[in-house]
Amino acid sequence: MFYLRLAANNIRANKRIFVPFLIATTFLTVMNVVMMTSYFSANSMFQQSSDSTQAAAAQLFMFGAMLMAGFSVIIAWYANSFLLKQRTRQLATYNVIGFGKMGLWRMVTGELFLSFIVTVVLGSVFGAAFSRLTYLLLRKILYLPQSLNFGINPVPILLTIVLMLAIFIWLLILDSIWLARHRPIEMLRDASAGEREPKTRWLMLIFGILTLGAGYTIAIAITKPLAAFQYFLIAVALVIVGTYALFIAGSVFIFKWLRKRKHYYYQPAHFINTSNMIHRMRQNGTGLASIAVLATMTLVTLATTFTLYAGVDQIVKIENPADVSYMLWMKQGKPVHEKAVNQFVAQAAAKHHVTLNKRTTIIKEGTQPTVVIQNRIRKATNADYVRLTGPADGMSSTDFLTFEHYKLIRPNAKALAANEVLFATSNPQRPHTLHFGKLTYHVRSVKMLPYVSQNPANPTSLLVFANVQQLLRATDQIGIKTTKQEQPLFAQTFVYLDVSGTQKNQRAFTTALQKSRLATKGQLNMPISRATSRLAVLQWMSSFLFMGILLGLMFIMSTALILYYKQISEGLADVKRYAVLQQVGLSRDEVKRTINSQLLTLFYVPLVVAAIHTFVAAPFVHRILTMFGLSNGRFYLEVIGGTLAVFALVYILIYRATSNVYFRIVSGAKRQ
């Protein structure tokens, strides 16, 4: 009990550093409760979707919960490290007056135990309440039912308590190791040690330039969406490592370089600032780099998830070129059960108050992945998908048609000679001839088929032959084998319907097609619609946005915590500087201007670096977004600009709030 009372007194006496620690751990508890509640409620939230979608949504939220738990460990470790560092002198004093290492360990254990109790109690209460508030947001964007018990399930709260218990035990282990390795005299010496000028770390500086340059090069040089997706994490890791190395070593190098510039250094406004910043960057390089990385993650996460959410209609339109579509099998060149399917579709449309405005039928002899390189076409292989810089150039999903079926869509098309083909592609190639092995065909360029996906990340092509014999000869030359002459390449009939009616009625109409007896027997295949896809895509993008907001809040809280702790450490360090500067003859206003200038440099440089990182990464991230069908790069840049403006405002507010702590420390010392 003695050590518990002592621990409680220490927390009260050092509330300036303990309260932020408790706020941080409580906030982590709240965020983990919300994310775990989302994971355990995924099936309920996506109950209108298929089983596979529910399973995928559960996986998504589980990934989010794991990510949140990982960040919680890192932030708790950072906050605890600062707490221990700021109490070095106090712990050393306790040791000198008679507390052995076991006594110190018991006291620290008591402080962590009390902190854990406060954290889980407040975190559980606020976590449950915040989960219910979150449900209101989710219900709006995910169309959740009103009766969902979101935030009431005790399992996520219990799991979060177990997680926080594990984190606090880990912090206790770290503190125990720290106490075991330090002696009281060393503690006092470290606390009273003067500042030494840091050396320029050349190896770290060169390493930082190389890693940051490599990350930027990947972001700029890789232009294929799939390759961008493959190299995204590598580029992120290189930029993070380079940022830390340059903030730690590069900043010291720059200020030392400025000190050697006599015309710059021997100026009243630069002399003191440059000298002080050399020492400050030695202490704060890691913290400033952390702020820059967290700010970048906040900007990229929020801008990307908001762009996905705002682009739902564009994604749906690209992935579903028609309002409703389905597929029929072919037999002897004719679609099977076409009449029965047409009758049922008309009856179902009338029953669900959907008007059929237009029906378009496209018969394809087959679709295969192909590669066109220097006028030579071949079938794509697995090696074409997995390359160092992404899929092979000239690769596309190619539709094969005979002229007979093409003319059903383009009745005014001119007849083809035996050695001619009609060719269209979304790739940049425009060949005049195409070589299929030993066969050569002259190319007549045409427009793409209607209702073809326009996703720039998945190029498509069209090849039309004069007749089925020419088609079989050509495809056989490039390794596309067929077993039935009457049914080459698994010929299929695709039916596209333009309809009108409410979204609800269109979804009901699509559901009727999907659950019909014809669909069960395989006579009506793959019925899909924009209305049903829109609901599914909207739920997915809303889930991404929801996770982005939670992670963004986590990053902003981490940024605020680091800023606050830095203000305290800066304030304590500047107490001595403040006195020395006045002793050498500087006026109070001059000293204040000097400190303000240094603080502005320290706290706005990470924001500038984060903005540079974000805009360099913007084209890279946008290439990944094109895989979802989002091709409007200008809109993404506008979202980034808006996000940066809002974040900068929040950052400034955090800076203003935390800087008050700094000035209270300095002004309090001044009065003494």
Side-chain angles (χ1 to χ4, degrees), residues 143 307-325 451-455 496 503 506-507 510 528-542 625-631:
Y143 300 100
T307 301
L308 285 170
Y309 180 74
V312 165
D313 288 334
Q314 187 181 352
I315 295 172
V316 172
K317 190 174 182 180
I318 285 180
E319 295 300 324
N320 301 271
D323 293 328
V324 180
S325 64
Y451 303 109
V452 172
S453 173
Q454 301 296 319
N455 191 336
Y496 301 94
Q503 292 284 303
Q506 290 186 40
R507 286 198 295 271
T510 308
I528 56 174
S529 71
R530 282 181 181 171
T532 53
S533 295
R534 188 179 188 283
L535 181 62
V537 172
L538 182 63
Q539 287 188 326
W540 272 114
M541 297 308 134
S542 301
L625 290 179
T626 58
M627 295 174 64
F628 293 89
L630 296 174
S631 57

Side-chain angles (χ1 to χ4, degrees), residues 15 43 169 255 266 590 594 608 644:
K15 60 183 178 183
N43 290 340
I169 290 175
F255 284 110
Y266 292 107
E590 287 173 329
T594 300
V608 174
L644 177 60

Side-chain angles (χ1 to χ4, degrees), residues 260-447:
K260 292 179 181 178
R261 308 276 81 77
K262 295 182 180 178
H263 295 295
Y264 173 86
Y265 184 61
Y266 292 107
Q267 298 285 333
H270 301 154
F271 180 80
I272 298 174
N273 274 345
T274 305
S275 299
N276 280 343
M277 289 298 286
I278 292 174
H279 294 278
R280 282 176 179 271
M281 296 312 295
R282 175 175 177 266
Q283 299 171 347
N284 298 302
T286 305
L288 294 176
S290 299
I291 294 172
V293 169
L294 286 168
T296 307
M297 293 168 76
T298 305
L299 291 170
V300 173
T301 302
L302 290 178
T304 303
T305 52
F306 182 79
T307 301
L308 285 170
Y309 180 74
V312 165
D313 288 334
Q314 187 181 352
I315 295 172
V316 172
K317 190 174 182 180
I318 285 180
E319 295 300 324
N320 301 271
D323 293 328
V324 180
S325 64
Y326 53 87
M327 186 271 287
L328 303 175
W329 292 115
M330 299 282 290
K331 187 175 183 181
Q332 296 181 346
K334 301 288 183 183
V336 181
H337 306 294
E338 183 178 23
K339 185 177 179 180
V341 170
N342 288 343
Q343 287 179 348
F344 177 79
V345 169
Q347 292 170 359
K351 181 179 179 181
H352 295 285
H353 309 290
V354 172
T355 303
L356 302 179
N357 299 321
K358 182 182 176 184
R359 181 195 307 270
T360 302
T361 302
I362 298 177
I363 300 175
K364 300 177 183 177
E365 270 62 43
T367 302
Q368 289 286 335
T370 62
V371 179
V372 176
I373 300 176
Q374 295 181 345
N375 297 359
R376 188 167 291 279
I377 187 171
R378 61 178 173 80
K379 183 182 178 182
T381 63
N382 290 337
D384 293 315
Y385 288 94
V386 186
R387 292 193 172 192
L388 189 62
T389 57
D393 291 330
M395 193 172 172
S396 67
S397 176
T398 304
D399 292 328
F400 291 86
L401 269 73
T402 61
F403 185 75
E404 176 189 1
H405 292 148
Y406 178 76
K407 202 170 181 181
L408 296 175
I409 310 163
R410 309 287 189 200
N412 296 326
K414 295 181 180 178
L416 275 175
N419 64 344
E420 287 183 323
V421 291
L422 301 180
F423 182 64
T425 180
S426 58
N427 279 323
Q429 299 113 320
R430 297 293 179 267
H432 297 292
T433 57
L434 271 179
H435 302 285
F436 292 74
K438 298 178 181 177
L439 301 178
T440 300
Y441 289 86
H442 298 287
V443 172
R444 281 167 45 190
S445 296
V446 292
K447 294 181 180 178

Side-chain angles (χ1 to χ4, degrees), residues 280 574 578 591-600 662:
R280 282 176 179 271
D574 281 341
Y578 196 89
V591 171
K592 191 171 183 179
R593 280 200 300 273
T594 300
I595 293 175
N596 272 333
S597 173
Q598 292 174 23
L599 285 179
L600 288 174
Y662 167 84

